Amino acid sequence: MSIKKTIIIAVILAACLILPAAAEIEGYSKDTGYQYALLGSYPTEKDGTAAPILWRVMSVSDGGAYLMSEYILDAKRVDGNKNSYAGWASSELRQWLDGEFADTAFSSREKYALKPLADGSVVSLMTADEVKDPDLGFRDLRDRLARATAYARAQGIDTYAGGGVRYSPWWLRDVSSDNANQQRRVIDEGKLGRGTVASKDQGVRPCVTVDLKVFTVTGGTGTKDDPWVLEADKTAAPVTPVPEATQAPATVEPARTDADPGPTPTPTDDAEPTQGPDEGPAGDTGDTASGRITASTDGMSEKFPQMAADGFLPEGEAEFVYEDQDSGTWLYASRTLRVEIHRRSEEKKPLRWYEAEIWCQPESDMFTTYAFDEAKYTNHNRLTSPSEIARQHKLVFAMNTDFFIYRVERDREESYNYPIGIVIRRGNLMYDRPKKPTSTVYPPLDVVALYPDGRVATYLNAETTGEALIADGVRDALSFGPVLMQEGRIIPRATAYGEVDNPRTAFGCVSPGHYWCVLLEGRMSKTYSKGASCGWMAETMARLGCETAINLDGGQTACMLFMGSRINKIGTYDGKTTDRDRPQNELLGIGQSALVGN
């Protein structure tokens, strides 16, 4: 064979090795799902060790491949100006993505392979419209679920449970249309929500567009387990110069070899993140085989014994109870219920409060109301101490409700129908008497509805009726308020009522089977705990990751009980330090145990 023919054959073979690889890179298809690629590197492990970034190929058009990081890479706030946010264009997060992140993640040659995105950046975030687009693979909520790397978790990112896996919320680049100081985000169960731009515990999932004319595929087959390895062409001239602000010095370029691109940056804990259109529904925290909730053990107290795979005690283990009043820790675990309470304090104001995290199997343990005298539920003379009610029903955890009995008594005293709110107890509609929609008097009598399957919903005053809730299958409905959070965000209602510093209680739900209850002490000495506003309670419930939350009755009514005993202190009333319970007719409780009161 002549040298000329040998050269021609070699050229043809080289073209077959390179050009088809570029041509085969495709965006999402409902038939085949996503393709994946490795490009750049970023800290992945808790100690800051970097690894190649794994990207989803979202779409391919106009010679560019639109990529989004498979995992949440970091936790950042959008902007520090939480009360005067100027928008995405000038935000801290946009500047960080286009500057520090780009400099860390990509070599200068790699950045030349990035085409500007719609907002003019070379690195940005997805929009709310994009994460609703089925052509980009977002056919339902589960397709938005994302896990954070160990590095992002070390930066303090928020997490929530879903099918036994810990997912995290992540920012979008849209400003909220309802509040100019809030940014859109993907929240619990893949829903779209909003959050204050100053939140530091939200995830960053960068997007880039790779110029397909300035790269070479040096390895991989495009699957998640064997992604394309993209190498910026060393000989091609840059098609789109990167803005000067994002240029990286040569010393920043991560050390990598063409032969060994490094491991795919898969998070090191839990199972592999769920992917693809054929997997279980978004936000489903149940085991598909048993229907059980899987409780996360991330951050769980070390005082607990070894838990089973579902986060509860193993089958056959005796109930676990731990109480330490001095350190402010109360723990309980069974096969179907886990309670963890911690006392917190802040010296500056000062404040002292209790945060109770509850995980349960709704089919076995659920939040519901427990009456002192079921036959005389609405008799204002049939009241007793919360501790007596808790011991009467052997309640593992309990707290006060909306104290509707006070409004029943006022109704007897007034010459008109005094507003009592919507009161449903154990499926029985007792009162359906909301305030007028125009009322601005505290409490607004907003409603929290509890369903037998563990779901929780909140409604503003006069937004629904008791009959409608009964028809929807609600088991218990409490009326107090204001509602603090809806769809994972603090709503304006939270700061429109209850501005005075007082003792307060709040009930919140992260997802069915996962709840937070908070009690804030108040009206004590000036150096002990002053109490706070409903706005403070809303911020606390948001920090804990609640999807929805409501303020319940406070003041002397506020109580939190563990194994039949009140753990909080009660402040000064009528100028006297009493530390005495207000007699009540019921409690909101969960879990029953023969150990209560022993």
Side-chain angles (χ1 to χ4, degrees):
M1 183 180 294
S2 68
I3 295 176
K4 183 176 181 180
K5 288 183 178 179
T6 302
I7 294 174
I8 292 174
I9 292 173
V11 170
I12 293 173
L13 289 174
C16 291
L17 291 173
I18 297 175
L19 295 179
E24 290 174 3
I25 293 183
E26 299 175 349
Y28 171 81
S29 165
K30 66 179 181 179
D31 296 324
T32 59
Y34 289 106
Q35 291 187 347
Y36 295 85
L38 294 178
L39 176 66
S41 67
Y42 196 72
T44 301
E45 301 303 321
K46 184 176 181 180
D47 61 2
T49 301
I53 303 173
L54 179 66
W55 304 87
R56 288 185 188 180
V57 182
M58 308 302 295
S59 63
V60 175
S61 63
D62 299 326
Y66 184 37
L67 313 178
M68 177 179 66
S69 66
E70 173 67 8
Y71 301 110
I72 297 171
L73 302 183
D74 212 327
K76 293 285 182 181
R77 68 185 184 188
V78 174
D79 202 85
N81 296 321
K82 63 179 181 179
N83 296 319
S84 56
Y85 178 46
W88 176 251
S90 59
S91 67
E92 291 178 10
L93 184 53
R94 184 192 176 196
Q95 295 178 41
W96 177 81
L97 284 165
D98 228 19
E100 183 179 341
F101 173 81
D103 289 344
T104 303
F106 306 112
S107 67
S108 57
R109 186 181 297 114
E110 287 169 336
K111 284 190 296 184
Y112 281 133
L114 303 181
K115 302 178 71 173
L117 298 167
D119 65 350
S121 306
V122 293
V123 184
S124 191
L125 303 178
M126 299 210 88
T127 67
D129 286 340
E130 286 176 324
V131 297
K132 298 176 185 176
D133 188 351
D135 290 338
L136 294 179
F138 299 109
R139 299 195 297 164
D140 52 39
L141 298 183
R142 67 171 177 258
D143 296 315
R144 300 174 187 158
L145 297 175
R147 289 180 58 195
T149 62
Y151 177 78
R153 293 195 300 274
Q155 306 312 303
I157 197 169
D158 190 17
T159 62
Y160 59 89
V165 179
R166 299 301 296 182
Y167 296 107
S168 291
W170 44 288
W171 290 118
L172 303 173
R173 73 168 184 253
D174 308 85
V175 179
S176 168
S177 59
D178 296 331
N179 188 323
N181 293 316
Q182 292 185 342
Q183 192 83 1
R184 300 302 303 277
R185 56 182 181 151
V186 174
I187 58 173
D188 187 13
E189 297 181 344
K191 299 175 184 176
L192 293 185
R194 303 164 181 81
T196 175
V197 295
S199 296
K200 298 179 180 179
D201 59 356
Q202 304 298 294
V204 181
R205 206 174 174 189
C207 296
V208 298
T209 296
V210 171
D211 194 323
L212 297 180
K213 297 178 181 178
V214 194
F215 88 102
T216 303
V217 175
T218 62
T221 59
T223 66
K224 188 175 182 181
D225 294 331
D226 186 28
W228 304 119
V229 179
L230 304 183
E231 177 73 20
D233 197 325
K234 298 180 175 61
T235 60
V239 175
T240 306
V242 177
E244 183 176 352
T246 64
Q247 297 285 353
T251 56
V252 177
E253 182 174 350
R256 297 193 303 278
T257 65
D258 293 344
D260 181 15
T264 300
T266 303
T268 56
D269 68 340
D270 300 327
E272 181 69 7
T274 55
Q275 289 288 340
D278 295 327
E279 299 189 7
D284 180 7
T285 57
D287 181 330
T288 56
S290 65
R292 289 178 59 84
I293 294 294
T294 298
S296 171
T297 55
D298 289 353
M300 186 182 71
S301 172
E302 296 179 353
K303 300 292 184 180
F304 276 113
Q306 182 67 40
M307 295 294 172
D310 61 4
F312 297 91
L313 280 185
E315 193 73 39
E317 288 288 324
E319 297 169 85
F320 171 80
V321 179
Y322 177 88
E323 303 180 59
D324 188 342
Q325 180 75 34
D326 293 335
S327 68
T329 302
W330 295 264
L331 309 173
Y332 173 87
S334 71
R335 188 70 187 99
T336 59
L337 178 65
R338 202 177 84 210
V339 178
E340 181 167 356
I341 308 173
H342 292 284
R343 186 173 61 225
R344 311 294 189 189
S345 62
E346 177 186 307
E347 296 181 0
K348 185 177 180 180
K349 192 165 183 178
L351 293 175
R352 196 170 83 160
W353 68 97
Y354 302 77
E355 296 175 357
E357 184 176 23
I358 292 95
W359 288 92
C360 68
Q361 301 294 342
E363 295 300 321
S364 302
D365 293 285
M366 67 181 73
F367 271 104
T368 189
T369 50
Y370 292 85
F372 168 53
D373 188 340
E374 190 78 35
K376 299 181 179 179
Y377 216 143
T378 60
N379 188 329
H380 64 281
N381 293 316
R382 294 296 292 159
L383 310 178
T384 189
S385 71
S387 296
E388 183 174 346
I389 301 174
R391 291 171 183 170
Q392 172 189 344
H393 293 284
K394 298 290 185 179
L395 296 178
V396 171
F397 175 87
M399 63 186 297
N400 61 278
T401 63
D402 55 8
F403 200 54
F404 78 92
I405 196 68
Y406 166 79
R407 301 188 292 278
V408 171
E409 184 177 5
R410 289 297 309 277
D411 181 50
R412 293 189 176 99
E413 297 171 350
E414 300 292 346
S415 58
Y416 64 95
N417 282 344
Y418 192 85
I420 298 175
I422 297 175
V423 179
I424 299 175
R425 298 297 188 263
R426 301 295 184 97
N428 298 312
L429 179 57
M430 300 171 68
Y431 294 94
D432 195 356
R433 198 186 300 174
K435 282 188 172 184
K436 294 180 180 179
T438 55
S439 174
T440 59
V441 178
Y442 178 88
L445 298 189
D446 293 342
V447 177
V448 58
L450 309 180
Y451 289 81
D453 61 2
R455 288 178 296 132
V456 174
T458 53
Y459 302 88
L460 305 189
N461 171 51
E463 188 177 5
T464 188
T465 66
E467 290 184 355
L469 294 180
I470 286 290
D472 196 37
V474 168
R475 179 181 174 86
D476 292 276
L478 285 63
S479 292
F480 203 83
V483 169
L484 304 175
M485 298 185 65
Q486 287 182 329
E487 296 183 352
R489 65 186 180 95
I490 297 173
I491 64 173
R493 189 83 159 188
T495 55
Y497 295 87
E499 298 178 351
V500 178
D501 290 344
N502 268 317
R504 301 192 183 276
T505 59
F507 174 81
C509 177
V510 180
S511 59
H514 186 195
Y515 311 92
W516 283 95
C517 299
V518 174
L519 182 145
L520 171 66
E521 293 175 333
R523 297 183 188 173
M524 297 186 183
S525 70
K526 294 182 180 179
T527 58
Y528 192 50
S529 188
K530 295 178 62 178
S533 66
C534 286
W536 182 93
M537 291 296 283
E539 292 175 356
T540 299
M541 302 307 279
R543 173 176 56 80
L544 295 174
C546 293
E547 174 72 11
T548 188
I550 191 171
N551 177 67
L552 297 177
D553 195 12
Q556 195 175 3
T557 306
C559 61
M560 183 174 287
L561 303 102
F562 179 79
M563 303 301 289
S565 298
R566 173 168 53 84
I567 63 176
N568 65 291
K569 292 188 177 298
I570 296 176
T572 300
Y573 290 83
D574 299 326
K576 300 178 181 179
T577 303
T578 62
D579 198 28
R580 290 184 58 188
D581 292 297
R582 169 172 284 160
Q584 300 179 39
N585 67 325
E586 64 174 359
L587 291 174
L588 179 65
I590 189 169
Q592 293 177 288
S593 170
L595 299 178
V596 173
N598 293 342

